[in-house]
Amino acid sequence: MSEVKEGELRAEPEGRRRASRRGVAVLVTVVAALVVLGAVAAVVGGLFAPPRQDGAGPAASPSASATRTTAAASPTPTKPVLARFDPAGPDTDNLALFGTALTKAAQSVPSQQVSAKTLTDALAAAGFGAGAMQRTADQTSANLQAPTLTVSVRLNGTCLVGQFVRQDASVSVELAAPISTGACLIGQTAPVG
């Protein structure tokens, strides 16, 4: 055996202890980050989850952050969907008509050919007024085809907001409160009409 000085014997275990403590600290940090990310995902997922069919869960009201449904889903309605927009009708009935009109429009042409005008024209055909509508642009600021298109209709104190996702040709709709300016969509919108 080679000779080992007393100081060297102490240095090796201390170095291992420091490395072990650093490893534990990194592990604790990673676990804490995962817990925080999981909590954030649960909160965000809860904000955008569709309302439950059994009546449990958040109530659909404009004061809630938003009520989101996927128009392609087929909930079991208790009464028929409106055939045309009814300004005196319940917002939820008009939301169902809004989602149906957007879904039919999105399915009328290949997803790469759907434009915001395709969506707003379908809403106008269903009786929604063009003056109450907003839509996003078909092109991004980089002059590329927009991956999503968003349209809205302002009804009294609420907004019907719909989004078409080009990648999977899906449509989702929600009933939401207007933003502080009174508009339904944030940012620059394209003219409707």
Side-chain angles (χ1 to χ4, degrees):
M1 251 178 135
S2 65
E3 261 185 61
V4 179
K5 297 179 185 174
E6 185 176 324
E8 291 179 79
L9 287 175
R10 289 186 193 148
E12 185 176 324
E14 181 62 31
R16 284 184 190 161
R17 275 186 251 144
R18 267 192 244 134
S20 176
R21 278 186 242 143
R22 271 187 260 141
V24 169
V26 169
L27 181 62
V28 168
T29 303
V30 168
V31 169
L34 290 174
V35 168
V36 169
L37 286 174
V40 169
V43 169
V44 170
L47 290 175
F48 294 105
R52 292 174 46 174
Q53 296 299 321
D54 61 4
S61 73
S63 62
S65 62
T67 300
R68 187 178 193 115
T69 59
T70 301
S74 54
T76 50
T78 55
K79 58 184 173 180
V81 173
L82 295 174
R84 292 213 25 97
F85 168 63
D86 180 5
D91 290 344
T92 53
D93 290 355
N94 284 312
L95 180 66
L97 172 64
F98 180 79
T100 300
L102 292 178
T103 299
K104 286 180 182 177
Q107 293 172 350
S108 68
V109 294
S111 67
Q112 296 306 313
Q113 294 177 10
V114 174
S115 67
K117 184 171 177 8
T118 305
L119 302 175
T120 55
D121 285 352
L123 294 174
F128 293 98
M133 290 184 208
Q134 290 181 287
R135 69 181 185 200
T136 57
D138 293 318
Q139 301 288 320
T140 66
S141 59
N143 205 29
L144 300 172
Q145 188 176 40
T148 61
L149 301 172
T150 306
V151 296
S152 68
V153 175
R154 174 79 190 263
L155 300 178
N156 303 319
T158 61
C159 295
L160 304 178
V161 181
Q163 187 173 55
F164 168 74
V165 179
R166 198 173 303 284
Q167 182 179 12
D168 62 2
S170 66
V171 171
S172 60
V173 300
E174 66 183 332
L175 182 63
I179 59 175
S180 62
T181 63
C184 293
L185 300 181
I186 297 173
Q188 188 173 359
T189 58
V192 176

